Amino acid sequence: MPADVLPGWRRNAAIFLAGQTVSLLGSMLVMYAVMWHLTIETRSGSVLMLSLVFGMLPQAFMSIFGGVWADRHHRKFLIMGSDTTIAVATLILAGLMASGIDDLWIIYLALAVRSVFAGIQMPAVTAMIPQIVPTSQLLRINGAFQTIQSAMTLLAPALAAVIYASMDIVAVFFIDAATALIGVALLALVPVARLVRTDEGKVSYFGDLRAGLKYVSTHSHVRWILVLFSLVMVMVGAPSYLTPLMVTRTFGDEVWKLTANELFWGFGMLAGGAAMAVFGPKITHRMRLMVGSVVLIGLAVVGLGVSTNMWVFFTFGLVIGVLFSALSAPAMTILQERVEAEMQGRVFGIVGIVMSVAMPLSMVVFGPLADQFSVESLLVLAGLLLFLVVAGILAIPGARRSLVEVDLPMAEQEETDGVATPDPVAPDEEASQSS
């Protein structure tokens, strides 16, 4: 069966996205509710810092292991098992807090458990999409997924505020557990073939781990895409966290201004994801789109720093949101298309590490500097650094050649590389999908 023909893929993709939407909403409700609860109850920056550590670092650590498991086991069952475990951990936390036990270490432990299984789940989610979506529609589905994630960043804070204010944090936990189980039930309706590897049973677990790291380091297309993505995550991490501080210092500390700042960024990402979902299949030069987006993001970050008008400042935030979606959706699509199916879990595990570590690392660097220098100067510095580093990468002949080859048809790329590209779908899996 041709790679682009998957019977019932629209139904399966719709059910999959619906399940991920429900599950993601619950997770984001918990994220905001816990942040507000700890802020109100402790008023401690150290407590918030520890909640960030317990909520993000385990996911970064587990992503690479989760990537190996996604290549060794059934991805659908990994996702369902992770969501179920997260729901159970959340229910236990809700029960303890409902009974009056609300020590901080219990909350930290629950956040860590959720983070660990998110690190197992996310590589499997991204690697499973090409198994249920035709290659020609990957960018459209990734754009739709980006749109959903952006929409949740707009809806979740408001909904979390209503629930937390009218009930309490325990109610948020129960809702999250319910959404996770709904997501599991919907995913159970999606038929997904277990990936059959040609080397199954011949490679040890740590051999798989080494193979994944070696794959990323030796495949120039993958390596340079990850470099571009990580650079943007680091340099955009600072603006996204520091813009509220600049709004407060420069334009005033009214709540509506801070809210408007978040909305402009959120709507930008929403619009960018929607554009990828609608026009994605028509885009033929996706690497050019990615590189152009990175360059324009650098210029827009500089624009944030030199803005003296609040609405111009907000508009630059919206533009960055659009451009980030124009970068991330094609990046995920290219990796899904170009990385062999049996390696995708490990590659997306490494992507998960980049996403989990880059933005907190950005704040570790830029956060303390914001107490010594103006936010405007740091934004200009971040934008210029991003622009200069990307220009430096494009000046490297090998990097430029690798990035250009990504937009070539697979047959031409094989001739250029001089190496045949393995069939991204194992014969046994293709047969099972055909049946």
Side-chain angles (χ1 to χ4, degrees):
M1 179 179 297
D4 275 2
V5 179
L6 288 175
W9 74 266
R10 289 183 175 83
R11 167 195 173 274
N12 295 334
I15 294 175
F16 170 79
L17 290 177
Q20 290 300 302
T21 300
V22 174
S23 180
L24 178 63
L25 176 60
S27 297
M28 295 191 74
L29 289 177
V30 167
M31 180 185 74
Y32 286 108
V34 168
M35 179 176 64
W36 295 335
H37 177 77
L38 294 177
T39 300
I40 293 170
E41 296 297 324
T42 69
R43 300 182 183 275
S44 169
S46 297
V47 168
L48 292 177
M49 180 271 293
L50 286 173
S51 70
L52 181 67
V53 169
F54 284 107
M56 297 195 72
L57 285 187
Q59 178 174 347
F61 177 76
M62 286 302 299
S63 286
I64 192 165
F65 297 98
V68 173
W69 290 330
D71 287 337
R72 294 178 74 91
H73 305 294
H74 201 302
R75 291 164 179 168
K76 172 179 171 178
F77 294 151
L78 277 177
I79 299 168
M80 294 172 66
S82 297
D83 256 342
T84 301
T85 305
I86 290 173
V88 171
T90 305
L91 284 173
I92 292 173
L93 175 61
L96 290 172
M97 295 191 73
S99 63
I101 304 174
D102 58 355
D103 295 344
L104 287 176
W105 71 267
I106 296 176
I107 296 178
Y108 294 153
L109 179 60
L111 290 175
V113 171
R114 293 173 61 88
S115 184
V116 164
F117 284 93
I120 297 172
Q121 178 188 39
M122 291 312 297
V125 168
T126 314
M128 194 186 79
I129 291 176
Q131 292 183 257
I132 63 174
V133 176
T135 302
S136 63
Q137 300 297 323
L138 281 175
L139 185 52
R140 173 169 290 169
I141 296 302
N142 284 320
F145 203 1
Q146 180 75 58
T147 303
I148 290 169
Q149 292 173 319
S150 302
M152 291 302 101
T153 64
L154 299 175
L155 173 63
L159 188 56
V162 171
I163 298 171
Y164 184 63
S166 59
M167 291 180 275
D168 57 20
I169 193 169
V170 175
V172 178
F173 290 148
F174 279 119
I175 291 173
D176 175 55
T179 58
L181 295 177
I182 292 172
V184 169
L186 288 173
L187 183 56
L189 301 176
V190 180
V192 182
R194 182 182 183 275
L195 184 68
V196 178
R197 291 170 47 175
T198 56
D199 61 350
E200 190 165 15
K202 301 177 182 178
V203 182
S204 68
Y205 174 86
F206 287 102
D208 265 349
L209 192 59
R210 289 191 298 270
L213 295 172
K214 183 179 180 181
Y215 186 94
V216 172
S217 64
T218 57
H219 285 67
S220 57
H221 305 118
V222 178
R223 183 174 67 250
W224 288 115
I225 288 174
L226 286 179
V227 167
L228 283 176
F229 201 69
S230 59
L231 283 173
V232 172
M233 292 293 288
V234 170
M235 296 304 175
V236 175
S240 65
Y241 279 101
L242 293 179
T243 49
L245 187 58
M246 180 174 167
V247 170
T248 301
R249 291 180 180 178
T250 305
F251 303 121
D253 59 0
E254 293 89 342
V255 174
W256 73 266
K257 294 180 180 178
L258 295 172
T259 304
N261 178 60
E262 299 297 331
L263 288 176
F264 269 75
W265 281 73
F267 276 119
M269 295 185 68
L270 182 67
M276 291 298 100
V278 174
F279 302 109
K282 301 177 182 178
I283 299 174
T284 56
H285 298 292
R286 289 168 297 182
M287 182 52 66
R288 295 182 188 179
L289 174 64
M290 286 176 57
V291 173
S293 296
V294 174
V295 172
L296 292 176
I297 285 173
L299 296 176
V301 172
V302 173
L304 286 174
V306 300
S307 297
T308 56
N309 179 278
M310 183 179 67
W311 296 107
V312 173
F313 178 83
F314 290 161
T315 301
F316 274 117
L318 185 145
V319 169
I320 293 173
V322 172
L323 293 171
F324 184 76
S325 293
L327 165 70
S328 59
M332 295 301 104
T333 302
I334 290 170
L335 293 177
Q336 288 167 341
E337 289 178 351
R338 300 285 169 155
V339 176
E340 291 86 343
E342 60 190 40
M343 292 296 302
Q344 286 188 7
R346 281 162 282 182
V347 169
F348 286 117
I350 296 173
V351 172
I353 293 175
V354 170
M355 296 179 67
S356 300
V357 173
M359 294 184 74
L361 177 63
S362 177
M363 274 304 293
V364 169
V365 174
F366 286 96
L369 290 176
D371 293 331
Q372 305 296 324
F373 305 96
S374 69
V375 177
E376 289 89 338
S377 63
L378 295 179
L379 293 174
V380 172
L381 175 63
L384 290 177
L385 284 176
L386 178 58
F387 181 78
L388 292 174
V389 171
V390 171
I393 291 174
L394 295 178
I396 302 172
R400 187 170 61 253
R401 182 171 58 253
S402 295
L403 295 176
V404 168
E405 288 173 0
V406 171
D407 281 336
L408 294 177
M410 290 295 290
E412 292 183 32
Q413 183 181 326
E414 291 172 16
E415 294 175 3
T416 303
D417 292 343
V419 179
T421 303
D423 188 347
V425 180
D428 291 343
E429 183 189 358
E430 186 171 358
S432 65
Q433 289 178 345
S434 299
S435 62

